[in-house]
Amino acid sequence: MNLLKIKALDAITKQRNGIISIGEEIFRHPELGYKEHNTSTLVKQVWENLGLENITGVGFTGWKGYLKEKESKTNTKTDKNYEDAKNLKNNTNSPITIAIMGELDAVISPKHPFADKDTGAAHACGHHAQIAAMIGCAIGLSAVKDALDGNVCFLATPAEEYIELGYRSQLKKDGHITYYGGKQQMIAEGVFDDIDMALMVHSETNQSSPHISINSHSTGFIGKNIRFLGKEAHAGGAPWDGVNALNAATLAISAIHAQRETFRDCDSVRVHPIITKGGDLVNTVPSEVIMESYVRAASIEAMKAANTKVNRAIKGASYAIGTNVQIIDSAGYLPLMQNPGLSKLFSDNAAGLLPNVTVEENLPFCGSTDAGDLSYLIPVIQPTISGFSGDLHSCDFQVDDEELAYLVPAKLMAMTVIDLLTNNAIIAKEIRKTSPRREKEDYILLWDTLLQE
Ligand SMILES: [Zn+2]
């Protein structure tokens, strides 16, 4: 193994207990998206102790910090800086900046043994371990930073779970955020304008020996809020005077079901509506019924095509019953497309570090993540690593191998960065050249177009 990697791994191993205790501390104090104030403060304190540079608040509750002082690339708060950064990115020889990400937020799982009693928040998706791994990686790379031909940026990212939309829509109204997903918000803020590629890891459960999945793709989705508006009437005395919004909603669900045979297997379309308000009073014809849904699919084209069919089904059902209907589509997440070059480096390092590891490639995953939105812009990987038991998002989820959950991901990300940023960063520059970036304006336009209907 090359000497820089040995030095970085030694530094991580020396801080083993500290890294694990950060992970455990966060596991015991879960916070929901855009409310991760204590977790965020903890991260900032650790970063300051590590001597990270230019630590700035981003994405409402997140942080961005650099391994080395920033030189020519600048954060793009002003138009002038943004133009400079854009010109630099177009120059194939410009310095490389790699982001290492960790997600701050928990999910809701009230029966989890470490769930927050008031909010039901619990780290049942392993994001606490991501933060520990990101910090571990920062420790490893700090030990070799002078030998790196490029910079590394660390990002504590908020609100990956797409939940509590009421709270988030209030944050939106109050001008704190534009997007519900943390990385989406950070894209819009320009946080990734100076980043060339990004790495993170995710937990994986119930493997009997060390297991890593690389290069998996996930679905993207459009979020939907649907309101059927009919007319109240006495349900027994004069139902003929009413217009039943619940009938329109159930008919819409049936019409959506009738579309399913037209969804292609390869598109992994998932439509799963729920009724969140079914009426007001049992003896009154329902005049307002509210339905929520996601329309998920494996590609942007398939998301769009399926959403058109779903909207047609909803409008057709509404027309049949004579209600009015409001459909509000919101930006969900884009499908995750992982970068094969980065995936290969990561799995080669895994094979070097863990002789008994099993690596699987290209497994489909029908969940969604805001790392998908980032993968639309720049090369991204989010390999999953075992070390956890129970089910994701469930009360039995926990760490069952501290080494795999907290330390191995830190080591593998550090080793991958060393591959990318040595020898004049030749590998990183090649990846950047072969996967040209899209700009945040293209991203914002894409969502605007998708939601136009
Ligand atoms: Zn997760």
Side-chain angles (χ1 to χ4, degrees), residues 55-373:
I55 300 174
T56 44
V58 292
F60 194 53
T61 44
W63 293 104
K64 182 182 193 183
Y66 292 81
L67 187 62
K68 309 180 196 180
E69 200 178 337
K70 282 192 290 178
E71 296 158 31
S72 45
K73 288 190 181 185
T74 44
N75 196 356
T76 52
K77 288 283 179 197
T78 67
D79 289 341
K80 167 82 180 74
N81 286 345
Y82 182 53
E83 283 310 311
D84 290 349
K86 225 171 166 177
N87 292 336
L88 261 171
K89 277 179 298 192
N90 294 334
N91 173 357
T92 45
N93 263 326
S94 67
I96 295 272
T97 302
I98 299 173
I100 301 293
M101 302 187 290
E103 293 165 347
L104 294 161
D105 62 325
V107 299
I108 296 178
S109 180
K111 289 183 198 148
H112 191 281
F114 291 100
D116 184 286
K117 282 188 182 58
D118 298 323
T119 65
H123 274 293
C125 199
H127 296 187
H128 67 292
Q130 290 180 13
I131 298 288
M134 172 191 61
I135 287 167
C137 179
I139 291 170
L141 292 176
S142 294
V144 299
K145 67 178 177 184
D146 294 337
L148 298 179
D149 303 321
N151 208 343
V152 184
C153 164
F154 294 89
L155 286 173
T157 71
E160 188 274 328
E161 306 289 348
Y162 197 88
I163 57 170
E164 293 196 307
L165 301 191
Y167 165 67
R168 291 184 196 184
S169 80
Q170 193 56 49
L171 286 181
K172 212 167 154 177
K173 276 183 203 139
D174 295 344
H176 295 300
I177 59 168
T178 321
Y179 287 94
Y180 291 157
K183 294 183 200 69
Q184 297 182 308
Q185 176 61 24
M186 292 164 77
I187 291 171
E189 286 177 14
V191 173
F192 293 99
D193 286 351
D194 67 332
I195 308 286
D196 295 289
M197 52 197 71
L199 277 64
M200 61 180 290
V201 293
H202 201 282
S203 59
E204 191 184 299
T205 61
N206 300 332
Q207 300 286 350
S208 51
S209 60
H211 185 276
I212 290 180
S213 301
I214 57 160
N215 221 33
S216 306
H217 294 208
S218 75
T219 57
F221 74 95
I222 293 170
K224 302 184 78 64
N225 192 289
I226 305 133
R227 201 162 154 239
F228 294 94
L229 295 167
K231 185 171 172 290
E232 286 178 319
H234 194 290
W240 42 83
D241 285 337
V243 178
N244 192 320
L246 185 60
N247 285 343
T250 55
L251 197 58
I253 291 173
S254 296
I256 292 167
H257 287 329
Q259 297 291 341
R260 294 190 194 274
E261 66 178 11
T262 71
F263 299 147
R264 299 186 308 174
D265 293 355
C266 60
D267 289 332
S268 303
V269 176
R270 304 280 191 275
V271 188
H272 35 88
I274 58 166
I275 292 177
T276 55
K277 182 183 175 191
D280 292 297
L281 211 62
V282 69
N283 60 355
T284 300
V285 171
S287 63
E288 183 188 58
V289 169
I290 298 175
M291 222 164 88
E292 282 178 29
S293 190
Y294 283 9
V295 175
R296 297 184 195 257
S299 70
I300 293 168
E301 292 69 34
M303 280 161 61
K304 213 169 148 180
N307 195 48
T308 302
K309 291 177 184 176
V310 168
N311 282 345
R312 206 171 55 211
I314 294 165
K315 288 177 196 164
S318 171
Y319 178 73
I321 302 300
T323 61
N324 285 315
V325 64
Q326 297 170 343
I327 304 173
I328 299 171
D329 285 351
S330 55
Y333 294 154
L334 295 180
L336 174 67
M337 301 291 166
Q338 303 201 51
N339 182 274
L342 290 176
S343 293
K344 170 87 171 65
L345 285 179
F346 190 89
S347 72
D348 287 350
N349 281 312
L353 188 72
L354 306 164
N356 59 341
V357 72
T358 309
V359 179
E360 283 191 279
E361 279 186 65
N362 304 321
L363 298 174
F365 172 61
C366 288
S368 307
T369 166
D370 59 359
D373 295 63

